[in-house]
Amino acid sequence: MEQGSAREGARPAYAPGAFPRTPAERRMPECRVPERARGERAGVEQSGFGRAGAEQAGGRPVEGEQAARGEHTHSEPPAPRAVQRHSVRGQILDALRAALVDGELVPGQVYSAPALGARFGVSATPVREAMQRLAVEGAVEVVPNRGFRVSERGPRELAELAEVRALIEVPVMLSLARTVPAHRWSGLRPLADATVTAAAVGDRAAYAESDRAFHRAVLMLSGNEQLVTVADELHRRSQWPLVSGPATRRADLLADASEHTALLDALVSQDLAVVQALVREHFAGADG
């Protein structure tokens, strides 16, 4: 169910960047921001969002016309630039997280924002902002004047994360099994099916996201938003690759995904012993 090591799986090919690549970077498939994101950014750059341009684009009169009517000319500042840049940064953050899960960003290697920006087809600024977010999460470390180093994790850290997750999720799921009606659990079937679909094609990034979505949905039934936030952060960290380890096979992903369905069956039938065994085994056997 978890994804600590680099695993087999087909990920979309990314367009090559226009910058020299180190031997370590050659092992990482090319990345590219989706066309929609690049189009949004291009629109921002081309428009300039000057005052007159923004007013004309929004159908509002330009300064000269306003002055002629005696109206105020200092309207609110145009918002599109900030919105569009945030959109690009968010998509790059998602792409970097997927690259981490897939092992495309190699533990211990340093990546510069300009180089990654060239590969994504954007400036270094949104890449740097996304990397700084990953640094806060602990996925990368800031290397002054060089860029960002992907954090190196070993089996001990993974085991500690699994232990903490079990301490949180096992008692919560046992409590929910006693109180949540069967029809509420049935509503989570599509999320469990999504993990199976992602595992079947070996899409590790999609599996990681659908795996977290399933666990979030289960824990949200507790009504404790703080618990959900903490558990989701621990879950995300458990999916980062180890510095070394065997590649996870597609069959392993499918086996993990099937545990979601089995867990739902146990929750519906209020079989507490099976719920506890499944969740503990799930975390104990996790490799990420």
Side-chain angles (χ1 to χ4, degrees), residues 11 31 49 111 126 129 141 154 196 232 278:
R11 293 290 300 155
C31 302
F49 288 106
Y111 299 91
E129 292 173 345
E141 306 166 3
V196 175
D232 189 58
L278 277 172

Side-chain angles (χ1 to χ4, degrees), residues 22-100:
T22 65
E25 289 181 316
R26 293 193 188 102
R27 296 196 299 271
M28 187 178 81
E30 297 295 340
C31 302
R32 180 165 60 92
V33 170
E35 290 294 330
R36 177 182 176 184
R38 294 194 293 107
E40 291 172 342
R41 177 176 178 273
V44 174
E45 293 177 344
Q46 292 173 5
S47 69
F49 288 106
R51 178 178 297 176
E55 290 172 342
Q56 290 171 342
R60 298 193 298 274
V62 296
E63 287 189 17
E65 296 172 354
Q66 288 181 308
R69 294 199 300 269
E71 298 178 355
H72 293 294
T73 59
H74 43 276
S75 58
E76 72 239 33
R81 175 183 291 276
V83 171
Q84 299 292 355
R85 191 179 71 152
H86 177 74
S87 176
V88 172
R89 182 187 64 181
Q91 292 186 59
I92 291 175
L93 179 59
D94 289 342
L96 289 172
R97 283 173 170 164
L100 277 169

Side-chain angles (χ1 to χ4, degrees), residues 46-268:
Q46 292 173 5
S47 69
F49 288 106
R51 178 178 297 176
E55 290 172 342
Q56 290 171 342
R60 298 193 298 274
V62 296
E63 287 189 17
E65 296 172 354
Q66 288 181 308
R69 294 199 300 269
E71 298 178 355
H72 293 294
T73 59
H74 43 276
S75 58
E76 72 239 33
R81 175 183 291 276
V83 171
Q84 299 292 355
R85 191 179 71 152
H86 177 74
S87 176
V88 172
R89 182 187 64 181
Q91 292 186 59
I92 291 175
L93 179 59
D94 289 342
L96 289 172
R97 283 173 170 164
L100 277 169
V101 172
D102 277 340
E104 297 169 9
L105 293 176
V106 181
Q109 296 298 318
V110 177
Y111 299 91
S112 70
L116 289 174
R119 188 173 301 175
F120 284 132
V122 299
S123 71
T125 299
V127 176
R128 187 175 293 109
E129 292 173 345
M131 279 294 204
Q132 287 170 345
R133 174 59 187 171
L134 291 176
V136 172
E137 296 176 358
V140 300
E141 306 166 3
V142 177
V143 181
N145 302 319
R146 293 186 61 195
F148 302 85
R149 177 185 292 111
V150 179
S151 299
E152 299 180 82
R153 305 167 58 247
R156 178 173 178 175
E157 180 180 346
L158 183 60
E160 291 173 349
L161 285 169
E163 181 180 359
V164 175
R165 289 189 63 206
L167 289 172
I168 294 175
E169 296 195 33
V170 170
V172 172
M173 289 191 186
L174 289 176
S175 176
L176 293 174
R178 299 185 185 96
T179 58
V180 175
H183 74 273
R184 297 289 299 278
W185 295 121
S186 298
L188 272 59
R189 292 286 178 185
L191 296 177
D193 293 341
T195 65
V196 175
T197 299
V201 297
D203 191 333
R204 295 189 298 272
Y207 180 81
E209 184 56 40
S210 60
D211 185 20
R212 290 202 318 279
F214 174 81
H215 281 263
R216 280 196 305 269
V218 171
L219 297 178
M220 283 175 64
L221 294 176
S222 70
N224 189 327
E225 295 183 2
Q226 299 303 315
L227 181 148
V228 174
T229 299
V230 171
D232 189 58
E233 178 61 23
L234 291 170
H235 196 164
R236 185 189 299 279
R237 290 175 59 189
S238 73
Q239 294 173 330
W240 299 336
L242 298 176
V243 66
S244 63
T248 300
R249 300 171 303 169
R250 187 175 304 180
D252 296 327
L253 287 181
L254 284 170
D256 289 340
S258 68
E259 292 178 359
H260 294 135
T261 301
L263 177 60
L264 280 182
D265 292 338
L267 290 167
V268 168

